């Protein structure tokens, strides 16, 4: 593959309802859509999932745009690529910036699969024809959250994730369990706790949670190992896993019993697959986390989730969960608690050009 041009689209999509966690409230989601064209006329799409401010990681949409435009795209355009896995090696000289790397690498994975005439899932080695759908419920008043949980269960979602923090945790989980005693329920703390909260977190063991996600600091592995020793509930690491080596170290320290793989957070689909394979070799289940993606990013997550060790429903929900209109056709839908893995070439969805143009704030061709 030889890249001819890459178009960056800065888009802004308004969420149906604000998404709230312990760190931030998101009303509008700004993203980068990467459109990669090769010299043979094939087109692949990727998505940059950095937020506009550095609340989730230090990377932002503006820094991703800069890294893509001024460093990553020129580097890749100067090369002939034999496989998408080449991207990881070629961009090794650029430190960190995983979300920018994922944006261009994802487009090249889509491009590669289309050239080969296979689905992105098949290109990655995925085997599942359908994936189970989970959904995240943002922090709000407990009654509002309970109503939304009931609605999502009626829609068929098989796993519910709720946001917690010290001021809203035990009473919330207790209320949810009273209304829904048997649902697969997990709590996401977004680093809202410290080791001083061990006794409080141990109280959550009685509620049979699927996991507690990222309870401690985003850059921590050691303290999570200490916490996991004290808890019956599995700890799941999210922000702490920014690379394959982070995953390897966390598993060697027994810092967690589950890992959330977000391709944007770890730097691409190639790294995501390596982490998946590592976890599978150690019987550590994984699931695919969400970043409030548009349909492009959601399509990549669906393909990734078709790999065999993604045994826990991820945050891969229907387009209508977040958007009045998505930028893909057809939109992602949940049926009987699951999502079909497309078998068409590439990501298996078409870009809705009209909707893309409507939500575009800026565009640049490199």
């Amino acid at each position: 593959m030889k890249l001819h041009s890459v178009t960056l689209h800065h888009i802004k999509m308004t969420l149906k309802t604000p998404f709230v966690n312990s760190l931030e409230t998101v009303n509008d989601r700004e993203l980068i859509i990467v459109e990669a064209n090769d010299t043979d006329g094939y087109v692949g799409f990727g998505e940059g999932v950095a937020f506009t401010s550095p609340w989730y990681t230090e990377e932002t949409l503006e820094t991703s745009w800069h890294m893509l435009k001024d460093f990553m795209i020129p580097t890749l355009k100067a090369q002939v690529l034999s496989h998408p896995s080449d991207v990881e090696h070629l961009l090794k000289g650029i430190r960190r910036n995983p979300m920018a790397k994922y944006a261009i690498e994802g487009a090249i994975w889509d491009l590669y699969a289309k050239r080969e005439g296979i689905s992105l899932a098949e290109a990655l080695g995925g085997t599942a024809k359908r994936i189970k759908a989970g959904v995240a419920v943002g922090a709000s008043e407990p009654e509002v959250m309970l109503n939304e949980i009931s609605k999502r269960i009626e829609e068929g979602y098989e796993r519910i994730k709720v946001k917690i923090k010290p001021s809203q945790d035990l009473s919330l989980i207790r209320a949810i369990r009273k209304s829904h005693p048997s649902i697969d329920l997990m709590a996401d703390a977004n680093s809202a706790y410290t080791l001083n909260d061990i006794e409080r977190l141990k109280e959550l063991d009685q509620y049979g949670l699927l996991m507690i996600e990222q309870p401690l600091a985003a850059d921590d592995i050691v303290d999570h190992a200490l916490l996991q020793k004290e808890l019956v509930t599995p700890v799941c690491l999210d922000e702490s896993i920014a690379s394959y080596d982070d995953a390897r170290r966390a598993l060697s320290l027994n810092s967690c019993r589950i890992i959330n793989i977000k391709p944007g957070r770890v730097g691409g689909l190639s790294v995501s697959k390596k982490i998946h394979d590592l976890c599978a070799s150690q019987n550590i289940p994984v699931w695919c986390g969400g970043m409030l993606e548009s349909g492009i990013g959601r399509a990549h997550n669906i393909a990734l989730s078709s790999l065999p060790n993604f045994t826990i429903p991820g945050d891969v929900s229907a387009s209508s969960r977040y958007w009045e209109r998505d930028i893909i056709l057809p939109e992602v839908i949940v049926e009987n608690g699951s999502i079909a893995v497309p078998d068409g070439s590439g990501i298996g969805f078409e870009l809705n050009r009209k909707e893309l143009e409507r939500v575009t704030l800026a565009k640049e061709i490199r």
Side-chain angles (χ1 to χ4, degrees):
M1 294 175 287
K2 182 81 167 92
L3 291 179
H4 173 265
S5 64
V6 179
T7 304
L8 302 177
H9 306 262
H10 175 188
I11 69 171
K12 181 178 179 180
M13 300 172 70
T14 299
L15 290 158
K16 281 184 170 181
T17 56
F19 193 80
V20 182
N21 59 45
S22 64
L23 299 172
E24 184 74 349
T25 297
V26 181
N27 294 288
D28 298 303
R29 185 65 165 111
E30 296 186 39
L31 298 155
I32 299 172
I33 302 301
V34 177
E35 181 177 353
N37 297 264
D38 73 2
T39 53
D40 294 322
Y42 290 91
V43 183
F45 297 99
E47 181 166 312
V49 294
F51 291 91
T52 53
S53 62
W55 66 268
Y56 179 72
T57 68
E58 68 274 19
E59 200 169 357
T60 68
L61 184 144
E62 187 173 353
T63 63
S64 288
W65 187 280
H66 163 53
M67 296 305 297
L68 284 162
K69 181 185 74 168
D70 295 326
F71 296 99
M72 297 181 187
I73 293 170
T75 296
L76 296 176
K77 283 184 69 178
Q79 304 293 326
V80 176
L81 306 174
S82 60
H83 189 269
S85 59
D86 295 345
V87 175
E88 181 186 0
H89 172 72
L90 291 169
L91 299 183
K92 224 173 185 62
I94 300 172
R95 295 195 179 190
R96 298 184 67 83
N97 295 281
M99 294 181 184
K101 289 178 179 177
Y102 165 56
I104 185 65
E105 189 230 34
I108 290 171
W109 267 105
D110 184 30
L111 188 64
Y112 169 79
K114 287 171 178 171
R115 288 178 62 95
E116 295 294 310
I118 59 176
S119 69
L120 177 57
E122 184 179 350
L124 290 168
T127 55
K129 302 302 180 185
R130 300 190 70 87
I131 62 167
K132 292 183 178 180
V135 68
V137 174
S140 184
E141 295 299 320
E143 185 176 344
V144 174
M145 294 178 71
L146 283 167
N147 288 337
E148 183 175 348
I149 289 168
S150 296
K151 178 182 178 183
R152 301 307 171 194
I153 292 171
E154 289 174 5
E155 292 172 347
Y157 288 99
E158 296 198 8
R159 189 231 68 204
I160 303 294
K161 177 169 83 173
V162 295
K163 301 290 186 176
I164 62 168
K165 54 187 175 182
S167 62
Q168 187 175 338
D169 49 16
L170 296 172
S171 60
L172 173 65
I173 298 300
R174 188 182 304 116
I176 294 171
R177 274 294 181 230
K178 185 176 180 181
S179 298
H180 306 287
S182 60
I183 62 168
D184 282 342
L185 178 66
M186 59 175 287
D188 184 5
N190 289 114
S191 304
Y193 298 84
T194 71
L195 284 180
N196 293 330
D197 298 306
I198 282 182
E199 293 304 316
R200 187 177 190 87
L201 291 168
K202 284 171 69 173
E203 290 190 54
L204 290 170
D205 281 340
Q206 63 187 295
Y207 297 109
L209 297 178
L210 195 60
M211 69 190 84
I212 301 174
E213 184 180 5
Q214 199 65 44
L216 307 180
D219 60 355
D220 171 74
I221 290 176
V222 175
D223 284 354
H224 276 106
L226 298 174
L227 176 64
Q228 182 64 94
K229 286 180 183 178
E230 298 293 325
L231 296 182
V232 174
T233 306
V235 168
C236 170
L237 290 183
D238 177 1
E239 292 95 326
S240 293
I241 308 300
S243 67
Y244 172 86
D245 283 334
D246 284 343
R248 177 180 57 78
R249 295 184 188 108
L251 296 185
S252 69
L253 292 172
N254 297 314
S255 301
C256 61
R257 296 180 194 151
I258 299 171
I259 285 182
N260 168 354
I261 300 178
K262 293 177 180 173
R265 193 192 67 236
V266 302
L269 293 171
S270 298
V271 179
S272 297
K273 181 170 167 52
K274 289 179 184 178
I275 295 172
H276 163 277
D277 295 347
L278 172 69
C279 291
S281 71
Q282 299 190 31
N283 296 314
I284 299 293
V286 300
W287 58 283
C288 184
M291 293 284 291
L292 302 177
E293 296 94 344
S294 80
I296 298 295
R298 203 168 301 268
H300 284 264
N301 288 348
I302 292 169
L304 180 65
S305 298
S306 70
L307 292 168
N309 196 40
F310 281 89
T311 55
I312 298 171
D315 288 339
V316 189
S317 49
S319 295
S320 61
R321 162 70 179 89
Y322 296 111
W323 318 117
E324 291 293 345
R325 286 192 300 276
D326 208 338
I327 62 169
I328 56 166
L329 293 171
E331 295 191 354
V332 177
I333 59 172
V334 173
E335 294 180 314
N336 299 319
S338 67
I339 296 171
V341 178
D343 56 9
S345 64
I347 60 174
F349 296 88
E350 296 295 325
L351 186 67
N352 184 340
R353 291 278 180 184
K354 184 177 180 181
E355 185 61 18
L356 177 68
E357 290 175 8
R358 189 184 73 82
V359 298
T360 294
L361 301 178
K363 182 169 75 171
E364 189 165 347
I365 302 174
R366 305 300 293 175

